[in-house]
Amino acid sequence: MSLLLKWAAAKLEGIVPLPEDNIYALLELPPRPELGDAAFPCFTLARPLAKPPARIAAELAERLNGAGGEGIRAEAAGPYLNLFFEPACWGPKLMEAALDPAFGTSDRRAGERVVIDLSSPNIAKPFGVGHLRSTMIGSALARLYRASGYDVVTVNHIGDWGTQFGKLLEAYLRWGDEEALKRDPIRESLKLYVRFHEEAERDPQLEEEGRRRFWMLENGDPEALRLWRFFVTFSMEEFERVYARLGVTFDHTLGESFYNGKMDAVVRRLAELGLLEESDGAQVVRLDDKAMPPCLIVKSDGTTIYGLRDLATALYRRREMGADRLLYVVGAEQSLHFSQVFEVLRRMGEPWAEQCRHIAFGLMKLEGRKMSTRRGQVVYLDDVLDEAVRRAEAIIAEKNPSLRERRETAEAVGIGAVVFGDLKNGRMLEVDFSLDEALRFEGETGPYVQYAAARAYRLLDASGLAPESSFVPAAARHDGPSLTAPSAWDLLKALGAYPEAVAEAVRLNEPSVLARYLLDAAKRFNRFYHQERIMTSDAEETAAKLRLAAACAGVLESGLGMLGIRAPRQI
Ligand code: ARG
């Protein structure tokens, strides 16, 4: 919650005839500073009080000011009741809250378990930039949910089963070269995959062979299984490298093949419930009344399919993992798939199907280029990260030639730029990612926020006041000199809204809400930094300003951390 609005609601409670929660929900941030720090619109009271909103605002202002303001002054402006907080009185309270290491976290949702499905790349295919979005949005949501008190379990649902493995094995047996595969496994298997699709266009029989090969795999053919395991092993090694670089871990990594023994029971239940129908030899659940195409459960040759595996997976997450809620962070192109799966669960009589959400996101292009694993025009994430780090290093070398940890800082800034460049966009937007754009220190970028945090840390270092020093929290409690400069008060108020940004990001499943908040806070910090002299001759004033810098550095670092981005102390 935004602290000032919370305090405003507490103040108005008893004066405005509404419960405090409703008052809080109605409160607004005024568009201009002359209009105060919080505004209460009186429209909703007009009917119950049978008075025009402007009269209500005027009467409320009078009552509030008459009751002894305690550092809050009220002013009516048309239908709005505007509240002005006295910085000298409220500044120290905001500061104390913002300096608390647990600021932004809450335990309101303790005991509620959320299972988050994220990343979930496919074996024998490159970890493309496309999977970056699921990994970063998903792990940011996991941290945000944890900060809100939820009991979070993350699962990487590796695509390691399905007809495509039949095709891959068939291609390998026809044209594969074991040595080449060992040397560069992902690129080599991608080549096989591309060749399979090219040749299948000329020779449709090939598709049939691929399907047969998958049938063999699913029915335990030892040679097929051996090859499949080989592909799984080297792909996982590749993925692990990427995750280490991104600093992402999972509570569970369970491939689709994990559910192999768990699908028969689902098919049986569907049959018992009379939900299965035959269609061209395949088993389907018809969803005509929901205006959806049938959900395919078992193919005509008896092999299993993605949808059935997801049904078994959801049931497992509910029964064995104890999920109260299930989130699936997967591209928007799979919307129909998830609507179908959730609808089938509902028909199976699983009421928690209402707690399943597809957290969809739009496509990502790279510098205008599309990505397609089929045609082999893949943009490799590793290459993108390398390039980002290289460019970050060049910028840092110019900005701060004497920086000792240049390499490590460049890694944090370069990767942070890519991650932030992704997360700052509303997740449904299609992103055309530009590295140049993402790395601009003066743009709406990760480096911009990181640089503001580093600037605040530099102030603290220069003053000999480390943010972790016990002086900082102790001094915040002391009603020191007020921070009355407009830019300082403005920054403090923004810091007070950090918990609200976290809560809103969770409510909307939108890490971009937090990314935007951080840009705004960093911008306010920079304004404060440029407009105010921090190191003054007045020791008390200097200490108050340094505390503000410490609080700001703490919030920026904590917020970046939730997005999966490091905040180097020096850049
Ligand atoms: N492996 C799939 C893909 O990359 C995504 C899996 C998403 N998770 C799920 N439970 N279906 O397309």
Side-chain angles (χ1 to χ4, degrees):
M1 303 214 185
S2 163
L3 287 180
L4 270 195
L5 296 190
K6 193 176 108 181
W7 293 335
K11 181 82 191 165
L12 291 177
E13 210 230 329
I15 296 178
V16 169
L18 287 174
E20 198 175 324
D21 283 356
N22 293 17
I23 301 175
Y24 179 79
L26 286 169
L27 280 167
E28 295 172 13
L29 288 177
R32 290 193 307 278
E34 316 85 86
L35 298 174
D37 304 309
F40 181 78
C42 297
F43 308 103
T44 29
L45 298 178
R47 195 186 283 248
L49 298 181
K51 284 180 204 168
R55 240 210 32 240
I56 300 172
E59 286 176 10
L60 286 174
E62 203 168 306
R63 273 188 69 189
L64 224 103
N65 293 333
E70 286 157 36
I72 303 180
R73 183 168 57 79
E75 234 175 57
Y80 284 92
L81 176 70
N82 291 331
L83 301 177
F84 295 76
F85 283 72
E86 185 56 57
C89 169
W90 295 92
K93 294 197 206 336
L94 277 175
M95 190 90 88
E96 179 175 0
L99 282 167
D100 183 336
F103 189 52
T105 65
S106 109
D107 48 18
R108 274 200 313 164
R109 295 303 193 138
E112 204 169 318
R113 179 163 292 185
V114 194
V115 173
I116 304 183
D117 182 309
L118 75 164
S119 195
S120 310
N122 300 315
I123 294 297
K125 290 195 196 167
F127 192 105
V129 184
H131 286 112
L132 176 70
R133 296 208 86 190
S134 173
T135 309
M136 295 326 299
I137 295 171
S139 53
L141 286 178
R143 289 186 213 93
L144 285 161
Y145 271 76
R146 265 188 202 121
S148 309
Y150 287 93
D151 175 8
V152 175
V153 178
T154 55
V155 191
N156 191 358
H157 188 70
I158 304 283
D160 67 353
W161 208 248
T163 319
Q164 70 273 27
F165 290 92
K167 297 179 184 177
L168 182 64
L169 296 191
E170 186 61 30
Y172 178 73
L173 293 167
R174 282 172 185 242
W175 317 297
D177 170 349
E178 186 166 343
E179 279 316 301
L181 196 65
K182 279 194 175 136
R183 236 178 295 120
D184 195 352
I186 298 244
R187 274 167 221 248
E188 200 53 35
S189 39
L190 186 62
K191 256 194 226 158
L192 288 172
Y193 192 60
V194 171
R195 174 140 181 212
F196 185 93
H197 284 277
E198 277 168 8
E199 305 241 352
E201 260 171 43
R202 266 172 267 132
D203 174 12
Q205 182 57 28
L206 201 53
E207 289 279 352
E208 201 41 59
E209 296 296 317
R211 275 195 286 275
R212 200 179 56 88
R213 197 62 72 181
F214 178 56
W215 186 92
M216 289 171 71
L217 181 63
E218 200 152 53
N219 286 278
D221 178 75
E223 174 61 7
L225 271 168
R226 190 188 65 78
L227 269 178
W228 171 78
R229 258 187 225 112
F230 171 64
F231 282 104
V232 171
T233 309
F234 70 67
S235 286
M236 288 310 293
E237 278 166 15
E238 179 100 357
F239 298 157
E240 290 305 335
R241 223 165 28 77
V242 173
Y243 294 135
R245 215 166 168 193
L246 295 173
V248 174
T249 56
F250 305 93
D251 297 317
H252 301 281
T253 296
L254 295 174
E256 291 182 33
S257 64
F258 176 76
Y259 301 94
N260 278 345
K262 303 176 172 57
M263 285 180 285
D264 284 351
V266 181
V267 176
R268 250 182 283 122
R269 266 232 10 247
L270 288 170
E272 273 162 30
L273 292 167
L275 292 169
L276 280 187
E277 271 177 53
E278 206 184 292
S279 164
D280 292 331
Q283 304 281 330
V284 305
V285 177
R286 299 198 76 98
L287 302 170
D288 304 17
D289 55 333
K290 293 279 167 184
M292 281 190 258
C295 181
L296 191 52
I297 303 291
V298 183
K299 291 215 221 171
S300 53
D301 63 2
T303 54
T304 63
I305 186 153
Y306 189 51
L308 174 59
R309 283 193 286 280
D310 256 330
L311 288 171
T313 305
L315 289 159
Y316 182 84
R317 288 177 184 169
R318 170 71 187 173
R319 307 254 148 86
E320 308 299 322
M321 293 184 169
D324 297 303
R325 280 194 203 204
L326 277 80
L327 303 185
Y328 295 83
V329 187
V330 185
E333 69 282 358
Q334 294 193 28
S335 284
L336 174 62
H337 164 75
F338 285 107
S339 302
Q340 290 176 315
V341 168
F342 300 161
E343 182 56 28
V344 173
L345 287 171
R346 240 172 248 136
R347 291 183 189 201
M348 291 173 81
E350 303 291 351
W352 48 272
E354 306 313 321
Q355 305 306 321
C356 293
R357 290 269 178 295
H358 174 205
I359 311 300
F361 54 83
L363 278 178
M364 179 142 139
K365 282 191 201 168
L366 217 111
E367 322 261 356
R369 269 187 300 161
K370 256 209 174 137
M371 283 169 293
S372 146
T373 39
R374 285 268 160 109
R375 304 231 166 65
Q377 298 166 337
V378 194
V379 183
Y380 289 87
L381 177 59
D382 243 3
D383 295 347
V384 176
L385 294 182
D386 284 343
E387 179 64 15
V389 171
R390 203 184 54 72
R391 292 195 206 179
E393 194 168 350
I395 298 173
I396 293 167
E398 201 177 300
K399 261 185 165 340
N400 188 357
S402 60
L403 183 67
R404 264 177 290 126
E405 288 117 19
R406 187 191 290 171
R407 190 63 230 172
E408 218 189 301
T409 310
E411 183 85 10
V413 172
I415 292 178
V418 174
V419 174
F420 195 94
D422 177 358
L423 292 182
K424 76 166 184 181
N425 304 291
R427 61 183 158 79
M428 285 310 286
L429 288 179
E430 294 207 354
V431 180
D432 191 354
F433 189 86
S434 147
L435 258 190
D436 270 338
E437 199 66 39
L439 273 159
R440 275 192 15 229
F441 275 63
E442 290 309 320
E444 295 192 326
T445 65
Y448 177 78
V449 179
Q450 285 174 318
Y451 198 67
R455 183 174 263 168
Y457 280 126
R458 201 172 55 231
L459 278 175
L460 300 174
D461 284 345
S463 68
L465 182 71
E468 49 275 344
S469 81
S470 56
F471 166 74
V472 174
R477 245 169 267 128
H478 141 263
D479 276 358
S482 57
L483 291 158
T484 43
S487 63
W489 176 237
D490 209 41
L491 172 59
L492 246 181
K493 283 192 295 179
L495 297 182
Y498 177 51
E500 175 70 13
V502 172
E504 185 74 353
V506 167
R507 201 175 63 76
L508 301 173
N509 292 306
E510 263 298 358
S512 64
V513 170
L514 178 59
R516 299 252 150 225
Y517 165 83
L518 293 174
L519 285 171
D520 181 69
K523 205 179 290 164
R524 286 171 206 264
F525 173 75
N526 283 337
R527 207 176 298 139
F528 163 71
Y529 179 85
H530 289 300
Q531 289 182 3
E532 288 296 308
R533 175 185 281 281
I534 314 274
M535 300 305 204
T536 67
S537 52
D538 181 326
E540 292 258 297
E541 186 185 340
T542 305
K545 286 177 170 169
L546 288 173
R547 285 197 297 278
L548 181 54
C552 182
V555 166
L556 294 181
E557 180 165 3
S558 155
L560 285 171
M562 295 227 198
L563 299 181
I565 299 170
R566 282 185 286 152
R569 290 287 161 105
Q570 288 183 14
I571 293 182

